[in-house]
Amino acid sequence: MNHETLQEWLVYIDSLHFRGIDLGLGRVRAVYERMTPLSCPVITVGGTNGKGSTAAILESLYRAAGYRTGAYFSPHLMRYNERVRINAEEATDEALCQAFAAVEEARGTTSLTYFEFGTLAAIWLFTRTGVDIAILEVGLGGRLDAVNIIDADVAVVVSVGTDHKDWLGPDRETIGREKAGIFRGGRPAVVGFDVSDSVWHEARRMGARALIAGRDFRYEARPGAWRFVSGAGTRDLPYPALRGGYQLANASCALAAAEALPGLTLTAQDLRTGLQAVRLAGRFQTLPGPGPRVVLDVAHNAEAARTLAQTLREQRVTGRTLGVVGMLKDKPVGEVFAALRGSFDDWFLASLDDPRGADAALLEGALRGIGLRPRGLYGDPVDAFATAIGCAGPDDRIVVFGSFKTVGAILAHVQGPGGGGGGRVV
């Protein structure tokens, strides 16, 4: 079955499987075995928070060195095209439609989820365009995520939190074991700074060559620059273009992975250029323009909220800080709000128009549960954001957070959707 537009394809693949998330590799691996395998080096990046930033940093480092890169991210903010980048440029509608058609032909009668279908399409595009390296961000967990059909040459687990307990397990140690499922015996496994003990235990059990943060590599923050220290030596580097001190941990994991990957050389200049050129929307992203500063951050779990609170403390403003938030109802709303208590002078709570979206009244209950009251309740993030803009002075800061859906809505509002397709946020 062929469809003429990307949006038609997205509607179609969203309807194929009987559930949106159905973890397991049997179906997706069976289809992949009917397709041309990916033959370039692969770095797989997993973790609760920071995996998108780490993948984007790796992409930028290898682009700076002149390598042809393929990078796969999820979810997207405004356009599905954001998920698949070749040479740091979003895949076109035409290219994605061709990739979806190739997966449709290969799958036969095998049912695939939206994410599985999209993962195979990204791999098909990377194979067809002959990339020198593929960087794959894990969608959910690790062991049973569709990305794990690829035996990565280097795998990274950046962090472990307690998001997605219904799918990954009841506690951090169990979730860590699931995320460590992307490691392979005899191959480098980068273990990040904020992980559970189960991650490096699992790396050892598998026989992976573990590179452990704090033991095998580390970083030092310094005025105007930072230092990366590993077995390969010490490098003084510029800060990544992605803002926030926490990005040094992500950059360190990326550098450790790059050092562990044989065959693709990165010079000191490549590292400097790549760090300064990296881009990824929605990670403490500050919008340009006069008036109040607008910050967009996709923080949607307790760990990310604590990091956001710390970054807001580090980067102070002379005026007030206003919070615009919309969340999914299956997220730990109370924990997120508790982590950000004291971060905002006013809260603007928005409903999300999504089957999983939380109503603003639900958010209000959670906020009152920690002894705070919102400035107002709004039908969608754009309404909440417009009201916050109207209340803000030139020295104030507005922080939009809580979900990819929330940040995407504001980006679309201020920039325009820019074409492409929508689709499920998974």
Side-chain angles (χ1 to χ4, degrees), residues 207-233:
R209 293 194 288 115
L211 299 167
I212 300 175
R215 186 192 76 179
D216 300 302
F217 65 94
R218 60 185 173 86
Y219 68 89
E220 301 169 5
R222 298 177 171 224
W226 66 289
R227 176 167 289 177
F228 177 69
V229 182
S230 70

Side-chain angles (χ1 to χ4, degrees), residues 378-395:
Y378 304 90
D380 60 59
V382 172
D383 285 346
F385 178 71
T387 305
I389 287 286
C391 295
D395 297 325

Side-chain angles (χ1 to χ4, degrees), residues 177-199:
R177 280 191 290 273
E178 287 295 309
K179 293 188 181 297
I182 63 175
F183 295 155
R184 295 295 189 270
R187 299 189 181 187
V190 177
V191 179
F193 292 88
D194 185 21
V195 301
S196 57
D197 291 345
S198 59
V199 175

Side-chain angles (χ1 to χ4, degrees), residues 153-192:
D153 296 276
V154 180
V156 185
V157 173
V158 182
S159 66
V160 175
T162 53
D163 211 357
H164 300 297
K165 286 183 178 180
D166 290 346
W167 296 101
L168 303 179
D171 53 55
R172 196 164 176 255
E173 293 299 314
T174 305
I175 292 170
R177 280 191 290 273
E178 287 295 309
K179 293 188 181 297
I182 63 175
F183 295 155
R184 295 295 189 270
R187 299 189 181 187
V190 177
V191 179

Side-chain angles (χ1 to χ4, degrees), residues 38 40-45 51-63 68-73 83-85 122 126 131-138 147 154 156 261 264:
L38 191 59
C40 67
V42 174
I43 300 178
T44 299
V45 185
K51 59 182 183 289
S53 296
T54 303
I57 292 168
L58 282 164
E59 174 195 48
S60 191
L61 296 178
Y62 285 106
R63 278 302 300 142
R68 187 170 179 80
T69 57
Y72 180 51
F73 301 94
R83 296 185 180 223
V84 185
R85 299 205 305 215
F126 297 157
V131 300
D132 298 315
I133 181 170
I135 299 140
L136 308 178
E137 179 188 352
V138 172
V147 164
V154 180
V156 185
L261 183 71
L264 298 183

